[in-house]
Amino acid sequence: MSALMNIEHVDFTYSDGSRALKNVTLDIYSGEKLAVLGANGAGKSTLFLNMNGILRPSSGKIFFKGAPVACDKKSLIRLRKNIGIVFQDPDQQMFASTVMGEISFGALNLGMSKEEAARRVKMLAKQLGLTSLLQKPPHFLSGGQKKLVSIADVLIMEPEIIIFDEPMAALDPVNTDCIREILEQLTAEGKTIVLSTHDVDFAFEWADRIAVFSDGNLIQTGTPKEVFANRAVLEQGNLKMPAVLQIFQSLCAQGYFEPGMVCPSTAAALVQMISEKKTTER
């Protein structure tokens, strides 16, 4: 399978001399759900900003659809139409005086016609439940509403890769569930999702593949089951084992399940496994 984006031996050093990325090589495949894990300061957000062209690698190269990412205006406009970032703090990407203006702002600046932008804003507002808020100032919205507006800011350009930097941070359970539903819908539409999170339970359940960062280094990529089976990587990446995996391993240690059985991804699936085992043992 050919990669949609190739990140090859990328280093990035900030102006204060801190080296945030160290020889990072990572392929991102079309339609996949990639979770990027690691402690604060591990390099996750810096990687995202390099992927989108907001930052430029100090060394190494990034390729999108096989073509090297260039730094001229035309190339960066193309890149940002196809790779959108939803920032952790929505206020970081809000500029306009109304929600309507906010959602259309980036698209208009990247060359979309007013008519097409208006059409897409109305469609997204209906999809995300923002129609009644279109004429309100975005900075007066709740945290969950701001997050939805920031997602609409990106979706209006219909990018191929959507990057979510801690999308559920500081959200209540209702808004967290809403973001999860949006992620599943985007995946069903064939979008490529790259997402950072500290929620290992969500990553274990949701991701096709996980990339773990520590101190600017990419220390492992693999399926959720491969990554969370590696205790050394969990320790180095400052990660906990997902709760469902902890429970499953405890049950295996007690002889409840046979060695070599595969842990389910969700608590509901584990409960089903236990129920089925009890049924067969009667």
Side-chain angles (χ1 to χ4, degrees):
M1 182 189 300
S2 60
L4 187 58
M5 173 169 276
N6 308 89
I7 300 164
E8 297 186 357
H9 306 291
V10 165
D11 271 62
F12 185 83
T13 301
Y14 285 100
S15 58
D16 63 0
S18 58
R19 192 177 172 204
L21 296 175
K22 303 172 183 177
N23 196 33
V24 172
T25 294
L26 176 66
D27 293 335
I28 297 169
Y29 299 96
S30 180
E32 80 167 330
K33 298 182 288 186
L34 175 66
V36 181
L37 307 183
N40 292 334
K44 305 184 298 295
S45 296
T46 302
L47 173 72
F48 295 163
L49 295 174
N50 275 266
M51 288 171 60
N52 179 260
I54 295 174
L55 298 179
R56 302 174 185 179
S58 302
S59 63
K61 291 186 177 296
I62 297 178
F63 297 83
F64 179 64
K65 290 187 171 181
V69 171
C71 297
D72 60 278
K73 183 177 179 180
K74 183 177 180 181
S75 297
L76 288 176
I77 287 174
R78 173 177 173 268
L79 184 70
R80 290 169 187 167
K81 283 182 178 179
N82 286 287
I83 304 170
I85 298 181
V86 179
F87 292 99
Q88 178 177 347
D89 181 0
D91 288 319
Q92 289 183 358
Q93 64 188 85
M94 292 188 177
F95 300 95
S97 59
T98 66
V99 170
M100 179 82 174
E102 174 59 37
I103 298 173
S104 60
F105 179 85
L108 293 173
N109 276 273
L110 292 177
M112 188 180 295
S113 70
K114 291 182 179 179
E115 294 75 17
E116 178 62 11
R119 183 189 71 81
R120 293 193 190 185
V121 168
K122 290 179 181 179
M123 177 187 69
L124 286 168
K126 183 177 180 179
Q127 178 183 341
L128 298 176
L130 298 171
T131 302
S132 65
L133 304 177
L134 287 177
Q135 300 308 317
K136 291 190 175 182
H139 293 291
F140 291 165
L141 303 181
S142 69
Q145 290 169 334
K146 287 180 180 180
K147 181 67 75 172
L148 291 175
V149 172
S150 69
I151 292 173
D153 286 352
V154 171
L155 295 186
I156 191 172
M157 289 175 280
E158 299 183 345
E160 293 190 53
I161 298 176
I162 306 174
I163 300 168
F164 289 86
D165 194 355
E166 293 286 349
M168 291 166 284
L171 293 182
D172 60 38
V174 171
N175 282 300
T176 295
D177 288 343
C178 180
I179 299 300
R180 291 190 181 200
E181 290 174 7
I182 291 170
L183 292 172
E184 291 301 335
Q185 181 178 340
L186 291 172
T187 302
E189 294 172 0
K191 299 294 185 183
T192 304
I193 307 296
V194 180
L195 174 153
S196 69
T197 181
H198 290 293
D199 187 340
V200 295
D201 297 301
F202 173 71
F204 188 72
E205 173 184 345
W206 175 83
D208 298 320
R209 197 162 56 107
I210 288 176
V212 182
F213 279 76
S214 176
D215 191 30
N217 296 288
L218 175 58
I219 59 175
Q220 187 180 1
T221 59
T223 66
K225 291 179 175 64
E226 289 170 341
V227 169
F228 286 110
N230 191 328
R231 292 182 180 274
V233 165
L234 297 185
E235 183 176 350
Q236 188 177 352
N238 198 30
L239 302 173
K240 293 182 178 179
M241 187 178 291
V244 66
L245 184 56
Q246 291 183 49
I247 295 169
F248 181 78
Q249 289 186 353
S250 176
L251 291 171
C252 289
Q254 296 171 43
Y256 195 85
F257 290 123
E258 295 294 327
M261 291 188 69
V262 177
C263 177
S265 298
T266 67
L270 179 57
V271 169
Q272 181 65 27
M273 280 182 65
I274 295 171
S275 176
E276 289 173 356
K277 181 174 174 59
K278 287 180 177 179
T279 300
T280 59
E281 289 176 345
R282 288 174 182 169

